[in-house]
């Protein structure tokens, strides 16, 4: 990626709906070569997809929970069952295998504490877990989808 590609990526991270003309104007290209660069970035997998970012409160998802999971089973069959469970729960918006005392951390978004409790019961029924600890987010202090693209 050259500097023009990096600038296109920065701009699209801020507003994925920019047209080739708008992008081109911002980076000093005409629309056609700018569009070719965007297509090349998509084909290379740099731009994975373009989505709309939704305000969670506007769709009644007022509770965010960070769920820390420990397991005693790290075998491939358990991991497959766990991945299947993650994929089956739309409430899980992010999931990570982590180092240290915690094996996995999930970001879960639900409408209420009661909805979280229902989610929790379904999760522990779906896969054997050794320990589950939930941290409820009191205030979101920063959220971005933009990656820090080096200059």
């Amino acid at each position: 990626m050259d500097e023009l590609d990096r600038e296109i990526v920065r701009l699209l991270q801020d507003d994925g709906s920019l047209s080739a003309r708008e992008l081109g104007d911002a980076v000093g290209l005409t629309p056609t070569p700018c569009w070719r660069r965007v297509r090349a970035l998509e084909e290379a997998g740099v731009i994975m997809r373009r989505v709309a970012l939704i305000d969670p409160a506007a769709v009644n998802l007022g509770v965010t929970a960070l769920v820390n999971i420990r397991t005693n089973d790290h075998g491939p069959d358990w991991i497959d069952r766990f991945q299947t469970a993650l994929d089956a729960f739309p409430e899980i918006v992010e999931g990570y295998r982590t180092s240290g005392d915690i094996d996995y951390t999930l970001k879960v978004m639900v409408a209420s504490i009661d909805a979280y409790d229902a989610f929790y019961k379904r999760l522990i029924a779906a896969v054997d877990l050794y320990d589950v600890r939930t941290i409820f987010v009191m205030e979101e202090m920063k959220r971005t989808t933009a990656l820090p693209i080096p200059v």
Side-chain angles (χ1 to χ4, degrees):
M1 282 183 23
D2 64 14
E3 184 53 38
L4 277 176
D5 288 338
R6 285 191 291 278
E7 185 60 22
I8 288 169
V9 169
R10 281 193 218 47
L11 290 165
L12 286 174
Q13 284 190 122
D14 187 53
D15 184 354
S17 70
L18 290 172
S19 69
R21 179 174 309 282
E22 292 167 322
L23 279 172
D25 287 348
V27 299
L29 292 174
T30 59
T32 300
C34 186
W35 179 248
R36 285 188 189 122
R37 283 178 175 263
V38 170
R39 293 293 299 148
L41 290 164
E42 290 171 338
E43 289 169 7
V46 174
I47 298 172
M48 296 167 44
R49 64 180 183 249
R50 298 186 217 186
V51 299
L53 300 177
I54 308 302
D55 176 8
V59 292
N60 194 31
L61 293 175
V63 175
T64 300
L66 305 176
V67 182
N68 293 323
I69 294 172
R70 293 187 324 166
T71 181
N72 285 331
D73 188 349
H74 298 276
D77 290 339
W78 184 90
I79 292 170
D80 287 345
R81 285 192 310 278
F82 186 64
Q83 184 65 60
T84 298
L86 293 183
D87 295 341
F89 290 97
E91 299 94 337
I92 301 171
V93 297
E94 296 178 32
Y96 303 95
R97 185 169 59 88
T98 57
S99 64
D101 293 337
I102 303 301
D103 296 312
Y104 299 91
T105 296
L106 310 177
K107 180 178 177 183
V108 175
M109 299 183 78
V110 291
S112 65
I113 297 297
D114 287 341
Y116 176 80
D117 188 46
F119 158 82
Y120 171 80
K121 289 173 182 173
R122 290 187 347 263
L123 177 65
I124 63 171
V127 64
D128 292 330
L129 304 172
Y130 171 70
D131 185 42
V132 179
R133 300 195 183 200
T134 303
I135 301 166
F136 290 101
V137 173
M138 302 303 293
E139 176 184 9
E140 182 178 271
M141 299 179 71
K142 179 179 180 179
R143 176 170 45 128
T144 183
T145 59
L147 299 176
I149 306 299
V151 179

